[in-house]
Amino acid sequence: MTPYLRLFRREVRLAFRQGGEIGLALGFFVLAVVLFPLGVGPEAEILRRIGAGIVWVAALLAAVLSLDRLFAADHADGGLDLLALSAMPLEGAVVAKCAAHWATTGLPLAILSPLLGLLVGLDARSIALLAVGLLLGTPALSLLGAIAAALTLGARRPGVLSSLIVLPLYLPVLIFGAGAVEAGIAGGGARPHLLLLGAFSLGALPLAPIAAAAALRQALD
Amino acid sequence: MLTRLANPARFMRLSGTVLPPLALATVVVLAIGLYLALFVAPPDYQQGESVRIMFVHVPAAWMALFAYLVVAVASAVALVWRHPLAEIAAQAAAPLGAAFTFVCLVSGSLWGKPMWGTWWAWDARMTSVLVLFFLYLGYMALVNAFDDMSRGARAGSVLALVGVVNLPIIKFSVDWWNTLHQADSVFRMGGPTIDPSMLWPLLIMGLGYLLLFKTLLLVRMRTALNEAKARALRLAAPQRLSTAPPLPEPEPVLR
């Protein structure tokens, strides 16, 4: 366990120390949400109706924006080669990196989301559903994002490319995440949506690192 | 079989002999299918003449899925056995699949306007086919994003395999989520529910589309191989220039 924990701690420490990268993603998240009331108009009724979707879309975009942090720097300075050579399986290293990525993007996004829920006029129950949904769904964002980040290592314009690759894969998370809040507003049960979100993250946990590690090995060839 | 075809020269020879009859069969079958679909098949009792769009739309949807399956299987073969032609096949099939997906989306939209009263609905099957279209685009963009072409090909292979998750979702979306798009009426448990007078033109159109896909796939693979050969010749040319004055004519491109 120790090498994984050590890698996790290193990643988190780097994220905190490298010039406010966490703040950058969070700032983008808040700004993207704030744009919508200015764009569609400040009527509380409309905002309440689409609020959850807005927050989820903004979370997706913020997650995509932070993907290049996963492997690019380590690829550039050779750290990734050392990781691949270490006794730790590359899949495990990917899991540790994803966990750190989630702890520094998905988790802060989920913690910040109640505030944004208030901004778009959601009620208390919807806000709770939004935050829980983000907590359950964002691990899948980090894990699937790792595949795209690994595939686009060394590509021309990797940022645009990885968003093109990964956003179609993110759709189920968006659908069930926003669907949970919507079902809560409509009076139905939000439970199935949340369960599916959790299932999606749990399914991505063993599968995505395998694909991401395969992509990393090719990038290092 | 797989290893025998691994030799590009042998593949060029074989595909060269197969291609003309295949292209002829495509034209004949598509002509028969279109005639049956547009003139012989009866108008639907509910949809009227608009049902004829179905003969273009449904086979395109089949081929959109089939082409992705080809891309995925070829990618798996390329990753596992490093088969030299598999990557070429995958890359050749992807734009074809994207085109079939596009035809499927557009024809479905044209049919949806008079029938459902809307060009587009965010129904489960339509959305998942749209995702398939984006998967194709992402695959093609990724393959072409690297200066080192082999790196692009291998990255694309991994992505193609990741995207396979979407195929069963498209296939079963109409059964799982009971939304706007009608359920399957041809490939279902308990036999087709579509009338034989429409089933036969549809199946012939499906065969025509399949032949068209195979013809274009072979043409694209041959073009890709020829391009690779031409590139190799171009790279080798300056070295020859520097050595001896009487230049041999560059080898003719493989036929």
Side-chain angles (χ1 to χ4, degrees):
Chain A
M1 204 59 207
T2 346
Y4 302 105
L5 271 181
R6 213 172 287 148
L7 181 60
F8 174 81
R9 277 221 298 274
R10 163 184 182 268
E11 295 290 322
V12 172
R13 206 175 294 143
L14 277 178
F16 271 105
R17 286 183 188 168
Q18 270 168 356
E21 287 200 35
I22 301 172
L24 216 59
L26 286 180
F28 176 83
F29 180 51
V30 174
L31 202 61
V33 171
V34 167
L35 283 181
F36 278 88
L38 303 178
V40 300
E43 288 88 356
E45 208 35 59
I46 301 178
L47 281 180
R48 190 167 312 135
R49 180 76 192 69
I50 60 175
I54 293 172
V55 175
W56 263 101
V57 168
L60 244 59
L61 294 178
V64 169
L65 208 70
S66 62
L67 283 182
D68 59 341
R69 206 175 68 210
L70 261 171
F71 302 118
D74 279 348
H75 184 241
D77 67 11
L80 210 53
D81 293 272
L82 290 179
L83 268 184
L85 287 175
S86 72
M88 175 170 35
L90 202 48
E91 286 80 1
V94 170
V95 173
K97 271 178 162 290
C98 286
H101 181 260
W102 178 76
T104 54
T105 49
L107 190 58
L109 288 184
I111 293 173
L112 201 62
S113 64
L115 187 66
L116 294 173
L118 277 178
L119 275 183
V120 293
L122 294 177
D123 56 36
R125 184 170 139 76
S126 303
I127 288 178
L129 284 174
L130 180 69
V132 172
L134 277 168
L135 269 181
L136 287 173
T138 40
L141 301 186
S142 293
L143 287 162
L144 292 175
I147 303 177
L151 282 173
T152 51
L153 277 181
R156 292 184 292 265
R157 306 186 57 76
V160 185
L161 190 59
S162 61
S163 56
L164 179 67
I165 289 174
V166 86
L167 282 176
L169 303 176
Y170 279 179
L171 281 189
V173 182
L174 173 64
I175 289 170
F176 293 121
V181 181
E182 207 136 291
I185 290 177
R191 207 176 124 84
H193 294 271
L194 293 179
L195 287 178
L196 276 167
L197 264 185
F200 203 76
S201 284
L202 284 178
L205 183 60
L207 295 177
I210 297 175
L216 280 181
R217 287 199 188 92
Q218 292 171 0
L220 296 175
D221 259 2
Chain B
M1 181 66 184
L2 224 53
T3 33
R4 267 182 64 79
L5 276 178
N7 180 342
R10 187 178 289 137
F11 170 80
M12 290 304 266
R13 234 178 12 256
L14 258 175
S15 62
T17 45
V18 173
L19 200 49
L22 195 62
L24 188 69
T26 307
V27 173
V28 171
V29 172
L30 270 182
I32 296 175
L34 276 175
Y35 176 73
L36 287 178
L38 297 183
F39 297 104
V40 177
D44 188 78
Y45 81 104
Q46 264 186 334
Q47 306 172 9
E49 300 289 345
S50 310
V51 74
R52 303 192 192 284
I53 295 177
M54 185 263 294
F55 295 110
V56 177
H57 173 71
V58 172
W62 289 342
M63 292 316 296
L65 290 182
F66 180 72
Y68 197 87
L69 204 60
V70 170
V71 173
V73 170
S75 297
V77 171
L79 281 179
V80 175
W81 288 291
R82 299 280 156 116
H83 193 289
L85 280 173
E87 276 170 358
I88 291 174
Q91 286 168 31
L96 297 176
F100 280 121
T101 314
F102 188 69
V103 168
C104 171
L105 287 170
V106 169
S107 60
S109 171
L110 290 176
W111 181 89
K113 186 61 188 164
M115 289 301 124
W116 293 336
T118 172
W119 296 108
W120 182 261
W122 291 100
D123 146 278
R125 177 165 270 190
M126 291 182 223
T127 310
S128 48
V129 171
L130 189 65
V131 170
L132 180 68
F133 186 61
F134 285 125
L135 280 178
Y136 276 123
L137 291 190
Y139 172 86
M140 291 191 283
L142 183 63
V143 165
N144 292 314
F146 294 91
D147 295 324
D148 173 11
M149 287 178 69
S150 65
R151 160 98 175 97
R154 275 174 293 139
S157 303
V158 174
L159 179 63
L161 289 180
V162 172
V164 170
V165 225
N166 195 33
L167 288 193
I169 295 182
I170 297 176
K171 176 79 181 71
F172 297 111
S173 55
V174 282
D175 307 329
W176 292 343
W177 296 283
N178 208 343
T179 47
L180 192 56
H181 198 289
Q182 48 274 80
D184 234 328
S185 55
V186 180
F187 297 120
R188 58 187 290 279
M189 306 275 274
T193 52
I194 182 173
D195 190 77
S197 63
M198 288 183 189
L199 179 62
W200 278 110
L202 184 61
L203 289 181
I204 293 176
M205 280 302 280
L207 180 66
Y209 270 59
L210 185 63
L211 287 171
L212 178 68
F213 173 71
K214 287 185 174 169
T215 310
L216 292 178
L217 182 63
L218 279 187
V219 170
R220 283 185 56 85
M221 286 179 72
R222 290 167 59 82
T223 312
L225 282 171
N226 277 340
E227 268 173 0
K229 174 111 183 170
R231 204 167 31 242
L233 287 176
R234 215 175 307 130
L235 286 179
Q239 293 166 358
R240 280 191 220 154
L241 266 177
S242 57
T243 48
L247 257 180
E249 277 292 301
E251 263 180 79
V253 168
L254 276 174
R255 255 178 224 295

